[in-house]
Amino acid sequence: MWVSFQETATLVCVLTFDDLLERARLLAGDGRRRALLGIAGSPGAGKTTLAERLVRELNGAGEPWVAHVPMDGFHLADAELERLGRRGRKGAPDTFDAAGYAALLRRLREEGDGDGDGDGVVYAPGFERVLEQPLAGALPVPSTARLIVTEGNYLLLGTGAWRRVRAALDEVWFCELAEAERVRRLVARHEEFGKGHEAAVAWVSGTDQRNADLVAATRDRADLVIRPG
Ligand SMILES: Nc1ncnc2c1ncn2[C@@H]1O[C@H](COP(=O)(O)OP(=O)(O)OP(=O)(O)O)[C@@H](O)[C@H]1O
Ligand SMILES: [Mg+2]
């Protein structure tokens, strides 16, 4: 259960979920400059769950000032992956529009700092889990958003356009989960969205695992390592 996270979130010593909220608030500061917080981690490690909870609790019941922009929205469409011959490796670094993601982060920063026209909404793409396709224009980020929480596998990758992603972020946390539990949750989620058990296990131990190994190697670049319970 995600609820257990609050008691068990740890950083090398011990950090509670409330500590993470406080750290995110400090990053946003007085709000004059828009802040960008990244959460990296392997597939199924709990990045999206953590980001959604942070955003929900920081926003509370008042006027929203924190927005969630997932890297997942930058998946290339299946038709393009077919054309590239990369459909079978969906989820690998080259199956995302990394340059587009970096450009959106830069735009969110510039317009949030009042350098652009500043008064409009910036639309980010979402990811539709049943179709497993990106969806343009799905996530409106209002100009009042002072903190952007973005999350995905490759925020800390040191290659190609991914370097520009890291450079666009103020701080990156790495979400780490015990391997057996991560694999169990990932298989369960593939099943929940329509894969049979054997197909889910094959995907997680094949394609997903290669991606997980790449992500794990970026852990030491993070500003903070979080181990949810
Ligand atoms: N504390 C928890 N206890 C049990 N299940 C959890 C917990 N946190 C998250 N999950 C489940 O684990 C799965 C993976 O979590 P989540 O989607 O947040 O991971 P992710 O890192 O965003 O994965 P991906 O890289 O594939 O997007 C989800 O089905 C989620 O509901
Ligand atoms: Mg996710």
Side-chain angles (χ1 to χ4, degrees), residues 76-150:
L76 296 178
D78 282 353
E80 176 61 1
L81 292 177
E82 292 282 6
R83 192 186 70 82
L84 296 169
R86 297 293 288 158
R87 175 91 187 267
R89 289 289 284 121
K90 188 170 179 168
D94 68 333
T95 67
F96 290 85
D97 176 16
Y101 181 40
L104 178 76
L105 295 175
R106 209 164 47 238
R107 184 179 166 210
L108 284 168
R109 161 88 70 211
E110 285 165 4
E111 299 195 10
D113 288 351
D115 297 337
D117 54 26
D119 53 4
V121 169
V122 172
Y123 283 100
F127 186 70
E128 216 291 308
R129 279 240 169 249
V130 175
L131 298 173
E132 291 196 321
Q133 295 296 288
L135 201 60
L139 303 171
V141 180
S143 57
T144 49
R146 299 292 81 206
L147 175 67
I148 307 294
V149 180
T150 187

Side-chain angles (χ1 to χ4, degrees), residues 39-60:
I39 302 175
S42 292
K47 304 175 295 295
T48 302
T49 308
L50 173 60
E52 285 174 349
R53 183 167 178 201
L54 278 172
V55 171
R56 192 171 58 244
E57 299 210 12
L58 287 167
N59 277 331

Side-chain angles (χ1 to χ4, degrees), residues 27-47:
L27 197 65
D30 62 11
R32 259 182 293 188
R33 175 179 176 275
R34 178 180 268 168
L36 278 81
L37 168 64
I39 302 175
S42 292
K47 304 175 295 295

Side-chain angles (χ1 to χ4, degrees), residues 3 6 8 25 28 30 37 48 51 71-73 86 112 124 152 154 174 194 220 229:
V3 185
Q6 189 158 357
T8 55
R25 276 195 197 97
D30 62 11
L37 168 64
T48 302
M71 185 199 97
D72 269 357
R86 297 293 288 158
Y154 301 122
F174 190 92
D220 291 350

Side-chain angles (χ1 to χ4, degrees), residues 1-2 4 42-49 72 129 151 153 181 184-186 189 192 229:
M1 286 284 289
W2 172 246
S4 68
S42 292
K47 304 175 295 295
T48 302
T49 308
D72 269 357
R129 279 240 169 249
E151 44 91 19
N153 294 353
E181 179 62 10
R184 192 194 66 72
R185 288 184 193 175
L186 209 48
R189 199 188 57 201
E192 185 189 331

Side-chain angles (χ1 to χ4, degrees), residues 41-45 47 72 75 87-93 95-96 127 129 132 153-154 179 182-191 195 199-216:
S42 292
K47 304 175 295 295
D72 269 357
H75 269 282
R87 175 91 187 267
R89 289 289 284 121
K90 188 170 179 168
T95 67
F96 290 85
F127 186 70
R129 279 240 169 249
E132 291 196 321
N153 294 353
Y154 301 122
E179 195 61 8
R182 189 185 66 78
V183 166
R184 192 194 66 72
R185 288 184 193 175
L186 209 48
V187 168
R189 199 188 57 201
H190 281 302
E191 289 175 345
K195 275 198 171 66
V201 170
W203 186 267
V204 169
S205 59
T207 297
D208 272 350
Q209 190 56 46
R210 272 190 272 176
N211 301 334
D213 292 344
L214 265 181
V215 176

